[in-house]
PDB file of all heavy atoms in Angstrom:
ATOM      1  N   ARG A  18     -26.416  14.922  -0.528  1.00  0.00           N
ATOM      2  CA  ARG A  18     -27.660  14.301  -0.977  1.00  0.00           C
ATOM      3  C   ARG A  18     -27.684  14.248  -2.499  1.00  0.00           C
ATOM      4  O   ARG A  18     -27.322  15.212  -3.154  1.00  0.00           O
ATOM      5  CB  ARG A  18     -28.871  15.087  -0.472  1.00  0.00           C
ATOM      6  CG  ARG A  18     -28.917  15.218   1.044  1.00  0.00           C
ATOM      7  CD  ARG A  18     -30.064  16.088   1.485  1.00  0.00           C
ATOM      8  NE  ARG A  18     -30.067  16.278   2.932  1.00  0.00           N
ATOM      9  CZ  ARG A  18     -30.918  17.046   3.572  1.00  0.00           C
ATOM     10  NH1 ARG A  18     -31.846  17.722   2.901  1.00  0.00           N
ATOM     11  NH2 ARG A  18     -30.857  17.168   4.879  1.00  0.00           N
ATOM     12  N   ALA A  20     -30.595  13.669  -4.182  1.00  0.00           N
ATOM     13  CA  ALA A  20     -31.874  14.201  -4.637  1.00  0.00           C
ATOM     14  C   ALA A  20     -31.808  15.722  -4.736  1.00  0.00           C
ATOM     15  O   ALA A  20     -31.128  16.382  -3.955  1.00  0.00           O
ATOM     16  CB  ALA A  20     -32.978  13.781  -3.691  1.00  0.00           C
ATOM     17  N   ALA A  28     -21.612  19.608   2.707  1.00  0.00           N
ATOM     18  CA  ALA A  28     -20.952  19.077   3.889  1.00  0.00           C
ATOM     19  C   ALA A  28     -19.828  20.025   4.280  1.00  0.00           C
ATOM     20  O   ALA A  28     -19.395  20.878   3.490  1.00  0.00           O
ATOM     21  CB  ALA A  28     -20.402  17.685   3.604  1.00  0.00           C
ATOM     22  N   PRO A  31     -14.714  17.468   2.408  1.00  0.00           N
ATOM     23  CA  PRO A  31     -14.894  16.732   1.148  1.00  0.00           C
ATOM     24  C   PRO A  31     -15.505  15.359   1.405  1.00  0.00           C
ATOM     25  O   PRO A  31     -15.039  14.608   2.268  1.00  0.00           O
ATOM     26  CB  PRO A  31     -13.462  16.613   0.608  1.00  0.00           C
ATOM     27  CG  PRO A  31     -12.691  17.682   1.296  1.00  0.00           C
ATOM     28  CD  PRO A  31     -13.308  17.834   2.641  1.00  0.00           C
ATOM     29  N   VAL A  60      -9.674   2.133  -1.735  1.00  0.00           N
ATOM     30  CA  VAL A  60      -9.091   3.427  -1.396  1.00  0.00           C
ATOM     31  C   VAL A  60      -9.502   3.842   0.010  1.00  0.00           C
ATOM     32  O   VAL A  60     -10.678   3.755   0.375  1.00  0.00           O
ATOM     33  CB  VAL A  60      -9.536   4.501  -2.419  1.00  0.00           C
ATOM     34  CG1 VAL A  60      -9.096   5.888  -1.976  1.00  0.00           C
ATOM     35  CG2 VAL A  60      -8.975   4.181  -3.797  1.00  0.00           C
ATOM     36  N   TYR A  76     -28.248  32.536  -3.968  1.00  0.00           N
ATOM     37  CA  TYR A  76     -29.611  32.476  -4.499  1.00  0.00           C
ATOM     38  C   TYR A  76     -29.542  32.229  -6.009  1.00  0.00           C
ATOM     39  O   TYR A  76     -28.843  32.935  -6.741  1.00  0.00           O
ATOM     40  CB  TYR A  76     -30.309  33.805  -4.211  1.00  0.00           C
ATOM     41  CG  TYR A  76     -31.705  33.949  -4.779  1.00  0.00           C
ATOM     42  CD1 TYR A  76     -32.810  33.480  -4.084  1.00  0.00           C
ATOM     43  CD2 TYR A  76     -31.907  34.584  -6.002  1.00  0.00           C
ATOM     44  CE1 TYR A  76     -34.089  33.638  -4.588  1.00  0.00           C
ATOM     45  CE2 TYR A  76     -33.188  34.739  -6.520  1.00  0.00           C
ATOM     46  CZ  TYR A  76     -34.272  34.267  -5.814  1.00  0.00           C
ATOM     47  OH  TYR A  76     -35.536  34.424  -6.316  1.00  0.00           O
ATOM     48  N   ARG A 105     -28.069  27.567  -2.956  1.00  0.00           N
ATOM     49  CA  ARG A 105     -26.954  26.632  -2.963  1.00  0.00           C
ATOM     50  C   ARG A 105     -25.891  27.084  -1.971  1.00  0.00           C
ATOM     51  O   ARG A 105     -25.531  28.252  -1.934  1.00  0.00           O
ATOM     52  CB  ARG A 105     -26.376  26.516  -4.375  1.00  0.00           C
ATOM     53  CG  ARG A 105     -27.440  26.084  -5.370  1.00  0.00           C
ATOM     54  CD  ARG A 105     -26.907  25.857  -6.752  1.00  0.00           C
ATOM     55  NE  ARG A 105     -27.995  25.568  -7.686  1.00  0.00           N
ATOM     56  CZ  ARG A 105     -27.829  25.206  -8.950  1.00  0.00           C
ATOM     57  NH1 ARG A 105     -26.603  25.117  -9.448  1.00  0.00           N
ATOM     58  NH2 ARG A 105     -28.876  24.955  -9.712  1.00  0.00           N
ATOM     59  N   GLN A 126      -1.979   4.644 -11.035  1.00  0.00           N
ATOM     60  CA  GLN A 126      -3.017   4.982 -12.015  1.00  0.00           C
ATOM     61  C   GLN A 126      -3.683   6.315 -11.673  1.00  0.00           C
ATOM     62  O   GLN A 126      -3.912   7.159 -12.540  1.00  0.00           O
ATOM     63  CB  GLN A 126      -4.061   3.876 -12.069  1.00  0.00           C
ATOM     64  CG  GLN A 126      -3.582   2.549 -12.608  1.00  0.00           C
ATOM     65  CD  GLN A 126      -4.604   1.446 -12.404  1.00  0.00           C
ATOM     66  OE1 GLN A 126      -5.806   1.709 -12.299  1.00  0.00           O
ATOM     67  NE2 GLN A 126      -4.145   0.215 -12.319  1.00  0.00           N
ATOM     68  N   ALA A 130      -3.628   9.869 -13.780  1.00  0.00           N
ATOM     69  CA  ALA A 130      -4.888  10.440 -14.250  1.00  0.00           C
ATOM     70  C   ALA A 130      -5.097  11.851 -13.706  1.00  0.00           C
ATOM     71  O   ALA A 130      -5.547  12.744 -14.433  1.00  0.00           O
ATOM     72  CB  ALA A 130      -6.054   9.542 -13.844  1.00  0.00           C
ATOM     73  N   PHE A 135      -8.837  13.063 -17.731  1.00  0.00           N
ATOM     74  CA  PHE A 135      -9.751  12.954 -18.870  1.00  0.00           C
ATOM     75  C   PHE A 135     -10.814  14.050 -18.768  1.00  0.00           C
ATOM     76  O   PHE A 135     -11.102  14.736 -19.738  1.00  0.00           O
ATOM     77  CB  PHE A 135     -10.400  11.568 -18.857  1.00  0.00           C
ATOM     78  CG  PHE A 135     -11.212  11.252 -20.085  1.00  0.00           C
ATOM     79  CD1 PHE A 135     -10.636  10.631 -21.176  1.00  0.00           C
ATOM     80  CD2 PHE A 135     -12.562  11.579 -20.151  1.00  0.00           C
ATOM     81  CE1 PHE A 135     -11.384  10.345 -22.318  1.00  0.00           C
ATOM     82  CE2 PHE A 135     -13.321  11.296 -21.275  1.00  0.00           C
ATOM     83  CZ  PHE A 135     -12.724  10.678 -22.366  1.00  0.00           C
ATOM     84  N   LEU A 140     -14.030  21.115  -7.198  1.00  0.00           N
ATOM     85  CA  LEU A 140     -14.245  20.963  -5.762  1.00  0.00           C
ATOM     86  C   LEU A 140     -15.734  20.839  -5.446  1.00  0.00           C
ATOM     87  O   LEU A 140     -16.354  21.714  -4.856  1.00  0.00           O
ATOM     88  CB  LEU A 140     -13.624  22.139  -5.007  1.00  0.00           C
ATOM     89  CG  LEU A 140     -12.140  22.387  -5.294  1.00  0.00           C
ATOM     90  CD1 LEU A 140     -11.631  23.572  -4.508  1.00  0.00           C
ATOM     91  CD2 LEU A 140     -11.304  21.140  -5.018  1.00  0.00           C
ATOM     92  N   ARG A 154       1.744  15.345  -4.002  1.00  0.00           N
ATOM     93  CA  ARG A 154       2.697  14.246  -4.170  1.00  0.00           C
ATOM     94  C   ARG A 154       1.996  13.095  -4.880  1.00  0.00           C
ATOM     95  O   ARG A 154       0.873  12.741  -4.548  1.00  0.00           O
ATOM     96  CB  ARG A 154       3.218  13.752  -2.812  1.00  0.00           C
ATOM     97  CG  ARG A 154       4.200  14.713  -2.119  1.00  0.00           C
ATOM     98  CD  ARG A 154       5.594  14.618  -2.724  1.00  0.00           C
ATOM     99  NE  ARG A 154       6.487  15.623  -2.206  1.00  0.00           N
ATOM    100  CZ  ARG A 154       7.274  15.464  -1.132  1.00  0.00           C
ATOM    101  NH1 ARG A 154       7.237  14.338  -0.447  1.00  0.00           N
ATOM    102  NH2 ARG A 154       8.083  16.435  -0.753  1.00  0.00           N
ATOM    103  N   ASP A 159       3.726   6.481   3.166  1.00  0.00           N
ATOM    104  CA  ASP A 159       2.751   6.583   4.262  1.00  0.00           C
ATOM    105  C   ASP A 159       2.090   7.956   4.203  1.00  0.00           C
ATOM    106  O   ASP A 159       2.487   8.877   4.911  1.00  0.00           O
ATOM    107  CB  ASP A 159       3.459   6.383   5.606  1.00  0.00           C
ATOM    108  CG  ASP A 159       2.484   6.282   6.778  1.00  0.00           C
ATOM    109  OD1 ASP A 159       1.284   6.576   6.586  1.00  0.00           O
ATOM    110  OD2 ASP A 159       2.913   5.916   7.890  1.00  0.00           O
ATOM    111  N   GLN A 181       4.655  24.431  20.775  1.00  0.00           N
ATOM    112  CA  GLN A 181       5.412  23.827  19.681  1.00  0.00           C
ATOM    113  C   GLN A 181       4.535  23.017  18.730  1.00  0.00           C
ATOM    114  O   GLN A 181       5.027  22.512  17.721  1.00  0.00           O
ATOM    115  CB  GLN A 181       6.518  22.924  20.249  1.00  0.00           C
ATOM    116  CG  GLN A 181       7.622  23.700  20.936  1.00  0.00           C
ATOM    117  CD  GLN A 181       8.272  24.697  19.977  1.00  0.00           C
ATOM    118  OE1 GLN A 181       8.751  24.334  18.903  1.00  0.00           O
ATOM    119  NE2 GLN A 181       8.263  25.966  20.363  1.00  0.00           N
ATOM    120  N   ILE A 205     -18.812   9.718  13.648  1.00  0.00           N
ATOM    121  CA  ILE A 205     -19.961  10.251  12.921  1.00  0.00           C
ATOM    122  C   ILE A 205     -20.307   9.329  11.752  1.00  0.00           C
ATOM    123  O   ILE A 205     -19.434   8.663  11.191  1.00  0.00           O
ATOM    124  CB  ILE A 205     -19.705  11.689  12.408  1.00  0.00           C
ATOM    125  CG1 ILE A 205     -18.471  11.744  11.488  1.00  0.00           C
ATOM    126  CG2 ILE A 205     -19.528  12.659  13.568  1.00  0.00           C
ATOM    127  CD1 ILE A 205     -18.229  13.114  10.883  1.00  0.00           C
ATOM    128  N   ASP A 209     -22.256   8.902   2.259  1.00  0.00           N
ATOM    129  CA  ASP A 209     -21.559   9.393   1.069  1.00  0.00           C
ATOM    130  C   ASP A 209     -20.679   8.338   0.410  1.00  0.00           C
ATOM    131  O   ASP A 209     -19.753   8.667  -0.326  1.00  0.00           O
ATOM    132  CB  ASP A 209     -20.715  10.626   1.428  1.00  0.00           C
ATOM    133  CG  ASP A 209     -19.543  10.301   2.350  1.00  0.00           C
ATOM    134  OD1 ASP A 209     -19.483   9.164   2.869  1.00  0.00           O
ATOM    135  OD2 ASP A 209     -18.679  11.183   2.542  1.00  0.00           O
ATOM    136  N   TYR A 227     -14.074   8.930  11.843  1.00  0.00           N
ATOM    137  CA  TYR A 227     -13.528   9.217  13.167  1.00  0.00           C
ATOM    138  C   TYR A 227     -12.911  10.619  13.119  1.00  0.00           C
ATOM    139  O   TYR A 227     -11.912  10.843  12.436  1.00  0.00           O
ATOM    140  CB  TYR A 227     -12.487   8.172  13.558  1.00  0.00           C
ATOM    141  CG  TYR A 227     -13.075   6.781  13.612  1.00  0.00           C
ATOM    142  CD1 TYR A 227     -13.145   5.997  12.460  1.00  0.00           C
ATOM    143  CD2 TYR A 227     -13.594   6.271  14.794  1.00  0.00           C
ATOM    144  CE1 TYR A 227     -13.703   4.724  12.497  1.00  0.00           C
ATOM    145  CE2 TYR A 227     -14.156   5.001  14.841  1.00  0.00           C
ATOM    146  CZ  TYR A 227     -14.209   4.236  13.694  1.00  0.00           C
ATOM    147  OH  TYR A 227     -14.777   2.982  13.729  1.00  0.00           O
ATOM    148  N   LEU A 237       5.395  23.119  10.473  1.00  0.00           N
ATOM    149  CA  LEU A 237       4.619  22.946   9.243  1.00  0.00           C
ATOM    150  C   LEU A 237       3.813  24.189   8.913  1.00  0.00           C
ATOM    151  O   LEU A 237       3.491  24.446   7.749  1.00  0.00           O
ATOM    152  CB  LEU A 237       3.686  21.739   9.354  1.00  0.00           C
ATOM    153  CG  LEU A 237       4.332  20.364   9.452  1.00  0.00           C
ATOM    154  CD1 LEU A 237       3.269  19.284   9.366  1.00  0.00           C
ATOM    155  CD2 LEU A 237       5.385  20.156   8.374  1.00  0.00           C
ATOM    156  N   LEU A 248       4.630  25.293  -0.414  1.00  0.00           N
ATOM    157  CA  LEU A 248       3.806  24.259  -1.031  1.00  0.00           C
ATOM    158  C   LEU A 248       4.370  23.838  -2.387  1.00  0.00           C
ATOM    159  O   LEU A 248       4.425  22.639  -2.712  1.00  0.00           O
ATOM    160  CB  LEU A 248       2.374  24.769  -1.194  1.00  0.00           C
ATOM    161  CG  LEU A 248       1.507  24.807   0.066  1.00  0.00           C
ATOM    162  CD1 LEU A 248       0.247  25.627  -0.179  1.00  0.00           C
ATOM    163  CD2 LEU A 248       1.144  23.392   0.520  1.00  0.00           C
ATOM    164  N   ASP A 250       7.487  24.140  -3.405  1.00  0.00           N
ATOM    165  CA  ASP A 250       8.738  23.416  -3.166  1.00  0.00           C
ATOM    166  C   ASP A 250       8.451  21.985  -2.711  1.00  0.00           C
ATOM    167  O   ASP A 250       9.123  21.035  -3.133  1.00  0.00           O
ATOM    168  CB  ASP A 250       9.572  24.133  -2.107  1.00  0.00           C
ATOM    169  CG  ASP A 250      10.167  25.443  -2.620  1.00  0.00           C
ATOM    170  OD1 ASP A 250      10.179  25.653  -3.852  1.00  0.00           O
ATOM    171  OD2 ASP A 250      10.617  26.256  -1.783  1.00  0.00           O
TER     172      ASP A 250
END
Side-chain angles (χ1 to χ4, degrees):
R18 302 176 183 177
V60 172
Y76 176 86
R105 303 184 185 186
Q126 293 170 25
F135 188 91
L140 305 180
R154 287 282 173 91
D159 188 349
Q181 291 302 304
I205 58 176
D209 68 350
Y227 299 86
L237 294 188
L248 284 167
D250 289 345

